[in-house]
Amino acid sequence: MPRLGKSFPILFPVNPMTNQIIETPSKPSSQNRAFEKRLRRHVVGREREYFAITMPGFEELCTRELTAIGLDEKRLRTETGGVAFAGRFVDCQRVNLMLRTATRILMRLDSFVATNPRQLSKNADRIAWELFFKQPPSIKVSSHHSRLYHTQAVSRIFEENIARRLLEEGGHRPVSRPQTLYVRITDDRFVLSMDSSGEPLYKRGFKSGPARAPIRETLAAIILDLAGYDPTRPLVDPMCGSGSFSLEAALMAKHMAPGLKREFAFMDWPAFTEKPWAFMTREAESQITGLDGPRIFASDIDSKTVEGVAQSVGHGGLTDAVAVSRQDFFNIRGNQFSDGPGLLTLNPPYGVRIGSARQAQDLFMAIRRHLQAHFKGWTVALIAPSQALLSQMDFAEKRIPLVHGGLTLSLVIGTIRS
């Protein structure tokens, strides 16, 4: 079997003082026109396969979202960890803008079999890289049960090939958003995917400052869906932390696309143009609904946390949906919300944030007592870190496993009965 340990020369010019790629001249106008025609034929107008990555176990929620925004349900394929779908570049943009439960959207570039470096280089050489990248991207390689197991050497072959092709086809052009090529090798089959999202999609673009053990917005959206969140009823988020539940519920209540406040990697693709994207975002903005007053009530005992959530609400234009206050959960009563009962979301502290197992047990017992005394008729979505704590929540109607921050947790959903 050929060894992959040798080095390959770098074929794109680099400034030795800054270690940055030296830009090369762009194509003459006649070449530009021909290039734009190729983009329309092979990228903009051509259907490709895309893959929406989501949390394992919640692929069906993502499938429902894709169908709701107009993709053909018959052309969706659910796989472990995501949903594959066929579409054009405009669909890729719309999916990034609209999906709440997906983490990232990949565009499939190619698939082939290679068992040695020569085969790999030959297959890579037939890809028109200039249609997809303006500059050589970062390359992430994973290899399983394949003869080409040396991921750094595989990455080097792609780096060399892409850099040479871009130089031959008119040079490198500046980008402001990181570009990534994912190379997955399984049983000698290569699958090449291009990241269209950039920052993970749970980064909606309007949170202010860090929080301890924050719930990602994608997970918050999943939990709200599972709990049957109704925007016409109050939502109480009394241990709000970074505000993920409240902010995500506000986007739903206002019919606001989750991607309106951020940028995406596809904005630096050669095929991207501003006019179609501007039209799409204007259409999304026209769907936003103003509310008469807040139906979402975020609070926390920590004043800095509350300040950060209030800033996020203001930055996101969500002040008509969310009221933020500093309060202790154990001082809050369900009857103070005139439109109640509604939904209460809880992500209590656990692990090192709460201390010993005994302290955690005491906290969860106190939560249960408070819910039973003051939130009768309310639906509760509560995250518990262990089965022992979970067993105390006798209102549980659904118990759903979650993975968050490397921890295995459980989501408890149920209604507090009298």
Side-chain angles (χ1 to χ4, degrees), residues 113-133:
V113 172
T115 59
N116 59 64
R118 185 185 296 274
Q119 279 186 330
L120 174 56
S121 185
K122 184 177 180 181
N123 278 289
D125 196 45
R126 64 182 175 82
I127 298 173
W129 298 108
E130 70 278 6
L131 298 179
F132 307 104
F133 298 108

Side-chain angles (χ1 to χ4, degrees), residues 206-217:
F206 49 73
K207 270 193 177 176
S208 300
R212 302 180 73 181
I215 289 290
R216 290 178 176 176
E217 284 76 354

Side-chain angles (χ1 to χ4, degrees), residues 25 41 125 211 245 251 317 368 413:
R41 185 188 314 126
D125 196 45
F245 284 121
L251 295 182
R368 184 192 64 183
I413 298 175

Side-chain angles (χ1 to χ4, degrees), residues 48-69 71-87 95 99 101-108:
R48 290 184 171 270
E49 181 173 290
Y50 294 89
F51 190 75
I53 299 173
T54 191
M55 289 180 59
F58 301 105
E59 297 88 353
E60 289 301 326
L61 293 183
C62 187
T63 298
R64 290 210 313 264
E65 278 198 283
L66 288 165
T67 303
I69 64 175
L71 273 72
D72 185 354
E73 186 177 8
K74 296 179 181 178
R75 306 192 69 188
L76 305 180
R77 187 177 70 254
T78 301
E79 302 177 8
T80 300
V83 183
F85 63 95
V95 165
L99 283 193
T101 61
T103 303
R104 189 178 298 282
I105 310 299
L106 303 180
M107 181 174 75
R108 302 298 195 202

Side-chain angles (χ1 to χ4, degrees), residues 99 160 172 195 198-199 206 245-246 321 331 362 368 390:
L99 283 193
E160 177 189 61
H172 307 119
D195 173 30
E199 291 274 18
F206 49 73
F245 284 121
S246 296
N331 293 330
D362 290 345
R368 184 192 64 183
L390 184 66

Side-chain angles (χ1 to χ4, degrees), residues 146-177:
S146 297
R147 277 168 277 192
L148 294 175
Y149 60 87
H150 196 309
T151 57
Q152 288 186 340
V154 169
S155 177
R156 191 69 173 179
I157 290 175
F158 280 106
E159 288 172 0
E160 177 189 61
N161 189 283
I162 294 171
R164 180 178 62 246
R165 179 73 179 228
L166 294 186
L167 284 176
E168 291 172 352
E169 295 295 327
H172 307 119
R173 289 169 286 167
V175 298
S176 57
R177 305 161 189 89

